[in-house]
């Protein structure tokens, strides 16, 4: 039996994560879990912050179950924090799955151009984002190291206050909005 793979797309909005996730889905026969599609389906024009973490967590639960069943999975959302990526790398390792990180970056000008194009051509797939928001997000992303990307870097220990990555994962991605 082949070893399933968890593909993690890492990057800011409009850097090519979803296009790559669609390719991975097709080429690797992977279950693609794209958060924005779920938020749009459930909330339309709204993008409530309270729902973000819960939707991400539910998609992760689905993805981990699919890995457990031997299927490849691609998680298609930013995963800006190294802790998020470490928690998912550990969860995949616990299931005997491989992990591949794919990092996407663009110049701010190209990112803005792509966002404006998406807003013009497919506004139902995205939300408006200001230059200030884009700059703030760019300042907050933990860019993966080359060793994290190639899988040679050991998984970090969980943050202080958490005994395991599973415990942290449950805290980071709560089961409900209440």
């Amino acid at each position: 039996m082949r070893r399933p793979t968890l593909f993690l797309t890492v990057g800011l909005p409009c850097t090519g994560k979803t296009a790559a996730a669609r390719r991975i889905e097709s080429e690797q026969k992977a279950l693609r879990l794209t958060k924005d599609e779920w938020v749009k389906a459930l909330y339309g024009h709204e993008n409530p912050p309270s729902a973000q973490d819960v939707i991400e967590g539910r998609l992760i639960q689905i993805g981990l179950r699919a890995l457990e069943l031997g299927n490849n999975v691609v998680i298609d959302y930013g995963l800006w924090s190294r802790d998020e990526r470490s928690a998912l790398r550990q969860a995949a390792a616990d299931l005997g799955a491989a992990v591949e990180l794919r990092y996407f970056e663009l110049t701010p000008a190209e990112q803005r151009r792509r966002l404006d194009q998406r807003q013009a051509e497919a506004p139902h797939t995205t939300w408006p984002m200001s230059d200030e928001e884009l700059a703030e997000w760019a300042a907050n992303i933990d860019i993966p190291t080359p060793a994290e990307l190639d899988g040679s870097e050991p998984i970090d220990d969980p943050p202080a206050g958490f005994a395991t990555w599973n415990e942290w994962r449950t805290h980071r991605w709560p089961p409900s909005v209440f």
Side-chain angles (χ1 to χ4, degrees):
M1 186 168 140
R2 68 173 172 75
R3 184 175 177 205
T5 300
L6 175 63
F7 297 90
L8 302 175
T9 62
V10 180
L12 296 168
C14 296
T15 55
K17 295 182 306 297
T18 299
R22 287 184 177 124
R23 282 192 303 277
I24 293 167
E25 174 185 38
S26 174
E27 294 168 3
Q28 303 296 325
K29 296 179 175 47
L31 173 63
R32 179 176 56 88
L33 300 169
T34 300
K35 178 183 69 174
D36 288 353
E37 292 175 357
W38 284 80
V39 174
K40 280 291 190 180
L42 293 169
Y43 295 98
H45 297 297
E46 301 298 316
N47 190 7
S50 63
Q52 298 293 319
D53 295 343
V54 173
I55 290 171
E56 286 181 13
R58 292 295 175 163
L59 294 177
I60 288 166
Q61 287 177 334
I62 292 166
L64 294 177
R65 179 65 177 136
L67 286 172
E68 189 175 38
L69 295 171
N71 299 294
N72 294 331
V73 174
V74 57
I75 300 288
D76 174 26
Y77 36 91
L79 300 171
W80 298 349
S81 135
R82 182 180 173 99
D83 284 346
E84 292 171 331
R85 299 187 302 268
S86 293
L88 294 175
R89 288 174 63 205
Q90 185 63 61
D94 291 346
L95 295 172
V99 176
E100 288 189 27
L101 266 70
R102 309 279 173 94
Y103 175 59
F104 303 87
E105 66 179 326
L106 294 172
T107 65
E110 178 61 13
Q111 182 186 21
R112 171 48 64 192
R113 186 196 69 73
R114 286 185 181 191
L115 178 58
D116 291 345
Q117 182 178 358
R118 185 186 296 175
Q119 275 297 154
E121 295 174 2
H124 62 283
T125 66
T126 192
W127 295 270
M129 295 172 226
S130 69
D131 289 339
E132 292 77 21
E133 287 173 313
L134 295 175
E136 178 185 338
W137 297 334
N140 288 323
I141 189 171
D142 294 330
I143 296 171
T145 65
E148 185 184 9
L149 287 170
D150 72 19
S152 64
E153 192 166 274
I155 298 170
D156 298 329
D157 290 332
F162 297 94
T164 66
W165 276 115
N166 186 49
E167 184 183 327
W168 183 90
R169 202 174 67 240
T170 303
H171 173 78
R172 166 66 182 86
W173 291 293
S176 70
V177 293
F178 302 105

